[in-house]
Amino acid sequence: MKRSLLHILWVTAALLVLLPLAAQAPTGSVAGRVVDEKGVPIADARVTVTSSHLQGPRKTMADKDGEFLISSLPPASDYKVTAVAPGFNKVVQSGLRVGLGMTTTTQFVLSSGGEQVEVRAQPKLLDLKDTKISTILTQQEMESIPVGREIQKAFYLAPNVVDSGMSSPPNPGMAGSSATENMYFMDGLNLTDPVGGVLAVNFNYNFAQEISIYTGGLDAEYGASTGGMVNILTKSGSNHLHGEVFGYYTDQSLAANQESTALSPNRPQPFHNYDYGFDLGGPIIRDRLWYFIGFNPTLYTQHYEGTSNLTNVYDSSVHLYLPYSYDDLQKNWIGLAKLNFRINDAHNLELTFFSNPAHEWLNEGAGNQPNSNPVVPTVDPRARMTRRYLHGYDASLKWYASWGPNLYQETQIGKVHQVAQILPWEEAGYGRPQIISYDWSPNLSIGSGTGIMYWDNRDMFQLQTKVTWMVHRHQIKFGGQLENTRWDSYNGYTGGAQYAVQGQFPSTPMFSANLQDYAFVFKSTLQNPYSLEHGRYIAAFVQDNWSVTDHAALSYGVRWERNELLPNEGPNASLDSWSPRVGFTWDFAHNGRSKTYLYYGRYYQRVPIAASFTMDPGHERYYTVTAYGFPYSSYTFGATPTAMLPGTKNQYNDEYMAGAEYELFPDFTIGLKIQYRSLGRVLEDVGYLDNQGNIAFYLMNPGTGQWPSVMDRWAAVLPDYERFAHPIRHYLAYTFTAQKRFSHHWYLNASYTLSYLKGNYSGGSGGYSVDALSPDISTAYDFPERIYNQNRYGYLPQDIRSYVKLQGFYKFDGGLSLGADFIYHTGRPINKLYQYPLNGPGYGTLFAAPRGTDRLPSLWRLDLHAQYDFRVKTSTLSLFADLFNVANRQVAVAAYQNYYVTPTSLADVFSGNLQRDPYWGSATMLQQPRFLRLGVKWSF
C-alpha cells in the first residue's frame, strides 16, 4: 500500500511538470479579504496587483468568503493592490511589501458607490499563518550595516546561527547543527555541495535582492536537512534602466597588526584586497522581456611571516623555533545573467546563469590541520604550496503559471556544475610524498610533498515543481523534486603515499627526510584514487494551511523523501523517509498584529554522496607500520566495499517550537521563541573485520539495535571492545527578538539567545572545524572501543550559552547614513583531547576528560559603517567606509586541544603512560584585527 501511494504521489508531481518552481521558491504572496462596510464578504471581487518588479499586472477573483491569494510574486516594497466589485467603489492600497517566502496579508473594505479611494498601506510585519523562524535581509540592509563581502557572512546576522569553525568557506552552524547539515538555494536552485554538504560558491550581496535564513519551523514544502536553510534571491531587470558600479578596497595600511599566539609569533602580514564590479538591468521589450547582468572580479594577496614554536615530545625542555615566510594569492570572477520573459498574463519564464571561477595559490598543504597558521610547521616550503583551480556554473529555467483565479504553479529545471582541483604549485611536488614527524608538538613536516591532491567534477541536475491551490479557507500546496548527481574525482596522495614517522635516531640529522632514520614509520597508500559515483534525491509533499477562524490557522503536511547512493560498480543503497510537520498560529489580540504559535516537525538528512566512494570496489587504503626496519603490523581498510546494513534508516531531528510575536507599533515587532531539537538517529559508517581480517565498514545506525554478530570479531583484536553508546544531540534555545523594518529613517534587527547544546555526537563531518568534508563517514564510529565512548558526552563545540546580536542603521536627511553591527557571546567549550596511538588498529580523536569542561573567553565585537550619498542628476554617488572590530579585540576563537602527545601504543593508553602536551589550551586563532574597508558606488 505504501509503495503504491509513493508511486501515485511522484507520478502526480511529474505530470504537473507537463503543465507548468521549486519547493524552495524565490517568491512571496499577497493574501487578503474583501468585505463591505458591515464586514460581509464580497464574492467575486476583482483584485489586481502591480509593481515595478512585476511584468504586467496579476489578477484574481475573491472566493465566496471574500478571500483571495496571488502567489509567485517577486519580493519588492512598492506593490499596489486594487480591489473592485460591481456596485462598490474601487480601493487601492499602495506601498505593500512582499518578502521572500512570506505571505503579506491585507484587507479591503469597499463602500457602496462613491469615488476611488487610494490609501497608503500599513502592511502587517507578521505572517499570521507561518511558523518559520526566519530572518530576511534586503540588499539595502546588507549594504547599510558592516558585513563581509562573502554572502555567507550575512548568514551570521540571524539568530541561532553560530560559527562552525569552518572558516573557508565560512559555513555556519544553525540551531545546533554542524556546518554540513544546512541547505542553500539561489533563486530556488539547490547549490549545496552534493558531496560535502556545504555552500562553496563565491557570491556578493550587490547581486542579491534578498536573502532569507530559516532556522526552524518549516512546512512540508521545504526539504530542509537537519540544520537550517538559506534562499538567495538575485536581482532582476525592470521597465526602467537601473544599475550600479562599485568598488571596495582594503590593505595592511588600513589594518592593525595580528597579534601572536603561543604557537605562532607573528610579524606584520601585509595584504591587499581589490573588489570591484558592475550590474545593469532594464527592459528589452517593456512589460514583456527584461534582462539583468552583473560581473565582479576580486583579487586578494597576503604575506605571512613569523616563527613556529615546537617542543620535543621526549624532552619538553628542548624547543625548536622554525621561521616561515610565504604569500597567498586568490583571484575570483563572479558573473550573473538573467532574463525574465512574460509570455502572457498567466505565464512567465525566468532564465538564470551564474558562474564563479577562482584561481588560488595558497600555502595550505603539509597536513592541512585547521586553526593553525602556518598550517603545519614545515622545513620545506614546497610542502605548503598548493594551487586551487575552482570553477562552477549554475543554470536554471523557471516557469510561473496561473491556471485560474486561485491556482498557481511554479516549476524549475536546472543544472549545477562544479570543478575543483587542489594540486602542488610545482611539477616536482607531484612525485614527492608528505612526511610528518611526530617527534615534535605540534607535528612537523619534514618532506616536500603537499599531501593530498585531487581533481574533482560534480554535476547535479534538478527538476522541481509546486502547485498552490486556494480552496475557501484552505491554501493547499503539493509538488515534488528530483535531483540526479554525478561525481567524477581523483583523490590521492602526492608521491603515491603518505608517511608519519616517530623516534628519530640520535646520530641522524635533525630534519632528515630519510625514512630509515626513524624507529617507527607509518605508511598510508591507496589502491585506486579514481572514482565515478552517482546519487539521486526524490521527494514529494502535500500540505494545507487552513484558516480555521479569522484569527486562528492550522498548517499540516507530510513530506516523503528518498535518498539514493548509486556507486559506479558497488550495490546501490536507498533510504526512504516520511516527515510529518504541523503548526498552529493564533492572533490572540484579534488585530492582525499579534501571533502565538506551536510547531512540531521532523527533518531528515539530505544525504551527501561522500560515502559512495567507499561503496565501490578497488578503493582500499593500506596502512603499514615498520618498527626499527622490520614489519610490525599492517591494516587494510575497505578491502570489502562499504555496504548498507539491512534495516538502516536515515538520520533525523525532531523539532518542537513555541513562540509569540507582537507588532508594538507599525514596522516594529518583538518576539520570544523557544526551540528544542533532538537528534533521533544518525547515519554513519561503522568498522568491522571481514573474513580476511581486514577492516571494512557498514553504513548503519550506530547506538541502536543494529549490531550484527560480525562485530564481535573485534573482541579478539581490541582489548576494550564495547558497543557504541546511543548518539545524543540536544539543542534548547530561548530567543528574544526585536525587529524594526526600515522606515522613518531607521532599521533594527536585535536578538538575544540563551541556548544549550549537549550530547556525544557533533555531526557527520566531525562537528567543529572539520578536517575533511566527509558527512556520514567520519571517524566517530569506526572502531567499537571503550576509549572512544568514554568522556564523549558533554557540551558540544557549538554550545554558546548567551549570544547577543544587534544590527541597525539610521539614514539622515541630506545623504549621511550610519550603521553598526555588535555581537557578544560567551566562550565556546574546548576539550582535552589526544590522538589514537600510531601503531594501534584504529585512528581518530580520543577524550582525556569529559567533553566541554573548559571554555574559551567571552567575545565581543563592534563594527561600524558610514556612508554619504551625493545626488548626481538622476543618479547617486555613494562614498562609504566600514570599520571592523573597532576596539581591536583579539580574543582567542580557537585553541590547541591536544592534552597529551600522541601515544605509541594502546598499552600506553590503558596504563596511563601519557605525556602532557605543553601547548594545550594555547590560542591557535584570534579575532581578526581591526581593519578599515573603503568603498564607492555609483547607482542609477
Side-chain angles (χ1 to χ4, degrees):
M1 178 65 183
K2 184 183 289 186
R3 185 178 299 273
S4 299
L5 179 58
L6 296 179
H7 180 75
I8 292 171
L9 283 172
W10 179 242
V11 169
T12 301
L15 287 174
L16 290 172
V17 176
L18 299 178
L19 301 172
L21 181 78
Q24 289 75 31
T27 58
S29 304
V30 170
R33 201 170 183 217
V34 184
V35 298
D36 63 16
E37 294 173 300
K38 296 181 180 180
V40 177
I42 301 177
D44 298 328
R46 289 176 293 164
V47 180
T48 304
V49 171
T50 59
S51 167
S52 64
H53 290 72
L54 199 61
Q55 290 175 309
R58 299 275 184 91
K59 301 177 181 179
T60 191
M61 301 286 286
D63 63 15
K64 68 176 184 179
D65 297 312
E67 297 195 355
F68 66 90
L69 170 72
I70 299 182
S71 187
S72 305
L73 298 175
S77 299
D78 64 345
Y79 274 92
K80 182 179 290 188
V81 184
T82 302
V84 64
F88 293 88
N89 68 337
K90 179 191 294 186
V91 176
V92 181
Q93 293 187 9
S94 61
L96 269 78
R97 183 182 187 278
V98 174
L100 183 60
M102 306 294 286
T103 298
T104 299
T105 58
T106 188
Q107 179 166 297
F108 288 87
V109 179
L110 306 188
S111 303
S112 299
E115 300 293 329
Q116 173 178 321
V117 177
E118 181 165 349
V119 297
R120 183 72 180 177
Q122 288 289 341
K124 311 296 190 299
L125 277 178
L126 303 180
D127 189 338
L128 298 179
K129 298 181 181 181
D130 190 23
T131 58
K132 292 194 297 290
I133 298 180
S134 62
T135 299
I136 297 178
L137 299 168
T138 65
Q139 182 195 8
Q140 180 189 34
E141 292 158 0
M142 288 183 281
E143 286 186 326
S144 300
I145 56 178
V147 64
R149 291 285 292 152
E150 296 171 298
I151 196 68
Q152 290 96 328
K153 296 293 181 66
F155 305 163
Y156 293 90
L157 302 177
N160 309 102
V161 178
V162 302
D163 176 24
S164 70
M166 187 180 294
S167 58
S168 182
N171 282 259
M174 297 188 182
S177 69
S178 64
T180 60
E181 298 178 64
N182 307 315
M183 298 298 298
Y184 302 95
F185 297 85
M186 181 182 290
D187 292 339
L189 192 68
N190 182 10
L191 298 188
T192 314
D193 175 31
V195 179
V198 297
L199 177 63
V201 303
N202 297 309
F203 192 73
N204 72 60
Y205 52 70
N206 290 87
F207 300 161
Q209 182 175 330
E210 284 190 9
I211 64 171
S212 56
I213 304 108
Y214 302 123
T215 55
L218 298 177
D219 290 336
E221 72 172 285
Y222 296 96
S225 190
T226 48
M229 193 187 82
V230 175
N231 201 352
I232 304 167
L233 174 68
T234 63
K235 292 181 179 178
S236 299
S238 70
N239 276 333
H240 304 284
L241 182 68
H242 61 88
E244 58 186 28
V245 179
F246 56 85
Y248 300 80
Y249 177 76
T250 185
D251 64 23
Q252 180 59 37
S253 68
L254 302 175
N257 291 329
Q258 179 74 64
E259 295 178 1
S260 299
T261 67
L263 293 173
S264 179
N266 289 324
R267 301 172 189 172
Q269 299 169 346
F271 68 90
H272 298 272
N273 190 1
Y274 302 88
D275 181 342
Y276 54 94
F278 75 93
D279 63 57
L280 184 68
I284 299 176
I285 302 175
R286 189 175 180 84
D287 275 335
R288 183 68 65 181
L289 180 62
W290 295 347
Y291 75 92
F292 178 84
I293 56 173
F295 183 60
N296 176 207
T298 66
L299 172 65
Y300 181 83
T301 65
Q302 182 154 16
H303 177 76
Y304 294 92
E305 188 170 339
T307 303
S308 298
N309 294 350
L310 298 94
T311 301
N312 191 282
V313 299
Y314 305 106
D315 186 350
S316 60
S317 66
V318 178
H319 295 274
L320 179 64
Y321 301 95
L322 202 63
Y324 61 86
S325 177
Y326 59 83
D327 295 278
D328 284 350
L329 171 64
Q330 302 175 51
K331 295 180 179 180
N332 299 284
W333 300 269
I334 302 171
L336 177 69
K338 181 185 284 189
L339 289 174
N340 295 83
F341 177 47
R342 175 172 168 251
I343 301 173
N344 53 40
D345 289 348
H347 298 276
N348 294 71
L349 295 177
E350 182 177 282
L351 177 65
T352 304
F353 180 84
F354 169 72
S355 182
N356 62 322
H359 291 178
E360 302 176 353
W361 290 263
L362 305 178
N363 288 264
E364 61 178 348
N368 198 18
Q369 293 184 358
N371 296 334
S372 178
N373 186 19
V375 181
V376 168
T378 179
V379 297
D380 193 325
R382 291 175 297 178
R384 275 197 303 262
M385 299 165 61
T386 64
R387 53 188 171 95
R388 288 185 176 222
Y389 290 162
L390 310 174
H391 177 69
Y393 68 82
D394 317 307
S396 72
L397 176 65
K398 292 191 287 290
W399 183 3
Y400 301 86
S402 173
W403 299 100
N406 295 307
L407 185 63
Y408 303 91
Q409 184 149 8
E410 307 173 32
T411 296
Q412 180 178 39
I413 185 171
K415 180 180 179 179
V416 177
H417 176 69
Q418 299 173 358
V419 177
Q421 299 178 8
I422 299 184
L423 307 168
W425 274 17
E426 302 173 349
E427 291 296 325
Y430 288 91
R432 311 260 179 163
Q434 179 188 90
I435 306 173
I436 303 292
S437 172
Y438 284 82
D439 292 336
W440 301 92
S441 178
N443 303 328
L444 173 65
S445 167
I446 54 176
S448 57
T450 59
I452 294 176
M453 62 179 182
Y454 68 87
W455 293 263
D456 201 290
N457 294 271
R458 304 173 186 185
D459 293 277
M460 185 161 52
F461 169 81
Q462 303 178 33
L463 177 64
Q464 38 201 353
T465 191
K466 178 182 70 176
V467 171
T468 302
W469 183 24
M470 188 75 173
V471 185
H472 302 304
R473 287 182 170 268
H474 295 267
Q475 184 177 315
I476 300 171
K477 296 183 181 181
F478 55 96
Q481 290 176 259
L482 170 66
E483 293 180 4
N484 280 329
T485 302
R486 183 180 186 271
W487 178 28
D488 184 3
S489 72
Y490 172 97
N491 192 339
Y493 299 123
T494 55
Q498 191 174 52
Y499 293 94
V501 295
Q502 188 175 30
Q504 185 174 9
F505 297 128
S507 59
T508 57
M510 179 181 291
F511 302 131
S512 174
N514 185 352
L515 301 177
Q516 297 178 351
D517 291 335
Y518 295 86
F520 296 94
V521 178
F522 312 90
K523 178 183 179 181
S524 297
T525 56
L526 299 170
Q527 182 188 28
N528 181 10
Y530 290 96
S531 68
L532 177 61
E533 315 299 339
H534 297 82
R536 182 179 297 123
Y537 173 79
I538 307 171
F541 77 92
V542 60
Q543 74 177 46
D544 179 18
N545 291 334
W546 174 28
S547 298
V548 182
T549 70
D550 288 346
H551 307 292
L554 181 66
S555 173
Y556 53 93
V558 64
R559 183 178 185 85
W560 170 79
E561 297 169 292
R562 171 174 291 171
N563 287 269
E564 296 179 348
L565 300 175
L566 307 173
N568 197 43
E569 298 180 22
N572 298 343
S574 179
L575 295 163
D576 287 4
S577 58
W578 292 83
S579 302
R581 299 178 193 172
V582 58
F584 175 76
T585 61
W586 177 44
D587 178 5
F588 56 87
H590 292 191
N591 60 3
R593 299 185 182 277
S594 68
K595 180 174 72 171
T596 186
Y597 55 90
L598 298 171
Y599 173 85
Y600 164 75
R602 176 165 289 186
Y603 304 90
Y604 281 88
Q605 174 188 212
R606 182 76 70 90
V607 180
I609 64 171
S612 295
F613 175 86
T614 67
M615 301 173 73
D616 258 333
H619 297 304
E620 294 93 331
R621 182 168 71 90
Y622 306 108
Y623 184 74
T624 60
V625 181
T626 303
Y628 296 92
F630 295 96
Y632 180 81
S633 60
S634 64
Y635 304 96
T636 301
F637 300 90
T640 301
T642 298
M644 185 170 288
L645 194 68
T648 296
K649 298 180 181 179
N650 198 6
Q651 178 172 314
Y652 73 88
N653 270 337
D654 280 326
E655 180 179 72
Y656 303 86
M657 282 192 349
E661 295 178 74
Y662 194 84
E663 188 173 350
L664 288 177
F665 50 84
D667 297 325
F668 186 88
T669 63
I670 59 172
L672 175 65
K673 306 175 181 66
I674 304 173
Q675 182 181 23
Y676 176 73
R677 280 186 170 183
S678 178
L679 184 67
R681 184 171 55 229
V682 304
L683 176 68
E684 274 278 4
D685 65 335
V686 177
Y688 70 95
L689 296 174
D690 65 16
N691 294 329
Q692 288 73 42
N694 297 315
I695 300 172
F697 298 90
Y698 278 126
L699 270 178
M700 56 181 284
N701 304 127
T704 64
Q706 281 194 313
W707 199 252
S709 59
V710 70
M711 293 294 178
D712 293 334
R713 294 176 180 174
W714 281 117
V717 177
L718 303 175
D720 60 338
Y721 167 62
E722 179 181 274
R723 295 188 181 188
F724 292 111
H726 180 73
I728 300 171
R729 188 176 70 189
H730 297 312
Y731 176 73
L732 175 63
Y734 304 87
T735 302
F736 175 80
T737 58
Q739 296 177 313
K740 166 67 168 60
R741 185 165 58 195
F742 178 68
S743 64
H744 302 96
H745 299 284
W746 66 288
Y747 164 87
L748 176 69
N749 182 32
S751 66
Y752 168 72
T753 300
L754 173 67
S755 64
Y756 303 85
L757 178 62
K758 204 167 186 180
N760 58 16
Y761 180 77
S762 297
S765 282
Y768 190 88
S769 187
V770 297
D771 294 88
L773 296 179
S774 53
D776 304 322
I777 52 173
S778 73
T779 62
Y781 294 99
D782 286 1
F783 300 95
E785 296 186 68
R786 179 180 56 83
I787 58 174
Y788 277 107
N789 285 330
Q790 67 185 9
N791 297 324
R792 186 175 287 192
Y793 180 82
Y795 289 106
L796 297 175
Q798 292 174 185
D799 176 67
I800 296 180
R801 194 56 38 80
S802 293
Y803 210 135
V804 176
K805 298 184 179 183
L806 297 172
Q807 307 118 35
F809 62 88
Y810 190 92
K811 288 186 175 293
F812 296 88
D813 292 331
L816 176 66
S817 62
L818 300 175
D821 177 20
F822 173 81
I823 67 164
Y824 164 83
H825 66 74
T826 52
R828 289 190 307 101
I830 59 173
N831 301 305
K832 293 182 170 70
L833 307 175
Y834 62 106
Q835 298 305 306
Y836 195 90
L838 286 171
N839 63 355
Y843 47 72
T845 301
L846 307 177
F847 287 82
R851 191 172 207 154
T853 53
D854 296 273
R855 287 187 179 263
L856 293 167
S858 296
L859 177 151
W860 66 268
R861 189 195 72 238
L862 173 65
D863 305 331
L864 298 177
H865 172 86
Q867 178 173 325
Y868 198 89
D869 298 332
F870 300 88
R871 293 296 297 174
V872 183
K873 294 185 177 180
T874 59
S875 65
T876 301
L877 178 65
S878 302
L879 302 179
F880 49 86
D882 294 295
L883 184 61
F884 296 91
N885 194 2
V886 173
N888 196 31
R889 289 177 54 83
Q890 298 190 38
V891 172
V893 295
Y896 188 74
Q897 299 187 73
N898 284 340
Y899 194 72
Y900 296 120
V901 298
T902 304
T904 300
S905 66
L906 281 173
D908 292 332
V909 176
F910 299 139
S911 66
N913 182 27
L914 300 171
Q915 184 175 352
R916 280 289 309 275
D917 192 314
Y919 287 113
W920 178 84
S922 299
T924 58
M925 182 179 292
L926 306 176
Q927 285 179 266
Q928 190 176 20
R930 179 179 57 235
F931 75 96
L932 178 66
R933 184 181 66 191
L934 303 176
V936 60
K937 184 177 74 170
W938 176 46
S939 53
F940 54 89

